[in-house]
Amino acid sequence: MAAILDMKWNPNSSDRPPELALVNADGKLQLFQLDNKVINELCSSLIGDDRLGLSLDWSNAKFQNSEPHIVTSDSKGMITTFKVTFDRSLTQVNQWKAHGFEAWIAAFNYWQPSIIYTGGDDCRLKGWDVRTSCEMPTFVSKSHSMGVCSIHSNIHKENIIATGSYDETILLWDTRKMRSPLLEINVGGGVWRLKWHPTNGEVLLAACMHNGFHILNCSLSDGCPQPIIASYEKHESLAYGVDWYRVAEISLQNQDSSVHHIEADSTSKETPKNEHVDEKSISEIDLKENMADKACWEGSNEMIASCSFYDNALHVWKVNLRPVYSN
């Protein structure tokens, strides 16, 4: 298999086994299904010749859809949309030139899946309405001073999106007023990935390349908040991939009132191929406290997985966000 540049689980596939989409260095979009602990390829489609697939997003994070769409971006500045049919084939719907250089990121507005946002190495953030021919964007923003490489729509706050850039800033936007951002946060490293919390629309997770991983409180009601509420800086290479562990319900009972972060280095023990790793076994992976207080694995209510670029490292760690929930 060629190098994988991005992958995302189908966020809303309760009626099917889990589905994983990825884009790779051969310029392909591939769709897999996890069935009985074995992952099998369902289908694939060529995005285009002589290009890298750089990012993808599913359209159905907010609303159930048995035939969702997937958008991809690539190294030639192209954006491509696909329909995932009910029998799980990929049908290309549209493709257009969005950016003069690499299109680092493409993302749906989850509340209005006909709207797509893209970011490129040309330092532009753009909006597109796929009900049109996409010959012209709905807006072009030059608010970032370097390449735009991350965008995420908030499934809990209808008009809020977050964008990140090589310029080391995260911008929060009201999609109804894209002339200027609502909030700018400097995180000290290029922002390669952004992930809103699955159940709390004010908590944002960021992979910041040369400056580790940060969790931010993006509440807009505090005026001038201190946004970084926890950090994880134990990776020894570029902070690239990060995501929340998602469960149907997260218990907030009997939790310590302070924020903790603890390292679990997946390289410390080998896991047999295709073997399921549950929370109990993860907690037994060579844990090292990263704060001077009494942080403990059992006292934290959020699990996060992060990975770094050159050293191929995957870390699993926990943080207690109950103080944020309580505010």
Side-chain angles (χ1 to χ4, degrees):
M1 179 180 291
I4 298 168
L5 281 298
D6 196 15
M7 62 171 67
K8 288 187 175 71
W9 293 99
N10 183 340
N12 207 338
S13 61
S14 57
D15 57 337
R16 295 175 178 267
E19 295 171 333
L20 178 71
L22 64 84
V23 287
N24 65 28
D26 284 339
K28 286 184 178 180
L29 169 65
Q30 295 177 276
L31 185 62
F32 294 84
Q33 187 176 80
L34 180 63
D35 192 7
N36 195 27
K37 301 181 183 179
V38 177
I39 192 161
N40 299 302
E41 184 172 357
L42 295 176
C43 56
S44 67
S45 182
L46 184 67
I47 300 170
D49 294 324
D50 301 321
R51 69 193 65 191
L52 306 177
L54 295 178
S55 78
L56 70 93
D57 199 16
W58 293 81
S59 66
N60 58 331
K62 179 66 180 177
F63 302 111
Q64 176 70 31
N65 188 341
S66 60
E67 293 187 316
H69 285 68
I70 294 175
V71 61
T72 67
S73 67
D74 66 48
S75 57
K76 289 196 171 182
M78 305 293 288
I79 302 299
T80 311
T81 56
F82 296 86
K83 180 179 180 178
V84 183
T85 65
F86 189 79
D87 61 359
R88 277 359 197 199
S89 62
L90 290 167
T91 302
Q92 183 173 314
V93 178
N94 197 4
Q95 185 175 78
W96 67 94
K97 183 75 169 180
H99 296 274
F101 302 101
E102 291 91 341
W104 291 120
I105 189 72
F108 284 100
N109 180 326
Y110 297 140
W111 295 78
Q112 295 179 275
S114 60
I115 304 300
I116 290 172
Y117 307 110
T118 66
D121 210 46
D122 54 8
C123 313
R124 303 294 188 267
L125 169 67
K126 299 183 180 183
W128 310 88
D129 188 334
V130 296
R131 294 168 296 187
T132 71
S133 63
C134 293
E135 293 180 359
M136 295 290 293
T138 57
F139 73 86
V140 178
S141 172
K142 302 177 183 178
S143 293
H144 284 292
S145 61
M146 299 179 71
V148 180
C149 40
S150 53
I151 304 170
H152 201 206
S153 173
N154 191 322
I155 65 168
H156 301 290
K157 294 179 178 288
E158 181 173 359
N159 300 303
I160 300 298
I161 65 169
T163 64
S165 166
Y166 288 127
D167 65 10
E168 304 185 351
T169 64
I170 295 171
L171 301 182
L172 297 188
W173 301 84
D174 183 329
T175 58
R176 299 164 298 183
K177 306 172 184 177
M178 294 301 293
R179 287 176 178 251
S180 60
L182 297 170
L183 185 66
E184 178 177 333
I185 304 168
N186 191 298
V187 289
V191 186
W192 186 250
R193 282 294 177 265
L194 291 169
K195 297 291 177 69
W196 288 105
H197 189 276
T199 61
N200 187 321
E202 295 184 344
V203 177
L204 184 64
L205 180 59
C208 302
M209 298 181 72
H210 293 284
N211 197 36
F213 300 89
H214 302 291
I215 299 173
L216 299 95
N217 182 355
C218 294
S219 171
L220 298 172
S221 61
D222 297 335
C224 298
Q226 299 295 320
I228 296 179
I229 55 177
S231 299
Y232 184 79
E233 298 172 340
K234 288 295 183 179
H235 282 271
E236 298 179 356
S237 183
L238 290 178
Y240 256 47
V242 70
D243 207 350
W244 304 94
Y245 171 62
R246 298 163 191 269
V247 292
E249 294 183 2
I250 299 173
S251 174
L252 301 181
Q253 301 299 317
N254 302 317
Q255 298 292 338
D256 193 299
S257 61
S258 59
V259 176
H260 307 310
H261 56 290
I262 300 173
E263 175 183 1
D265 188 345
S266 67
T267 61
S268 61
K269 289 186 180 181
E270 290 187 2
T271 302
K273 210 169 192 178
N274 295 327
E275 182 175 327
H276 175 67
V277 180
D278 59 20
E279 183 169 338
K280 181 178 179 182
S281 63
I282 290 174
S283 70
E284 296 167 354
I285 297 175
D286 193 18
L287 299 176
K288 296 179 282 294
E289 288 196 7
N290 200 22
M291 294 182 71
D293 61 8
K294 296 181 179 179
C296 65
W297 180 267
E298 293 79 9
S300 303
N301 62 347
E302 299 288 355
M303 189 184 299
I304 295 167
S306 57
C307 60
S308 44
F309 189 75
Y310 294 110
D311 57 359
N312 305 318
L314 170 69
H315 291 197
V316 180
W317 42 287
K318 274 199 167 186
V319 62
N320 186 353
L321 294 180
R322 189 168 184 256
V324 181
Y325 297 140
S326 300
N327 289 339

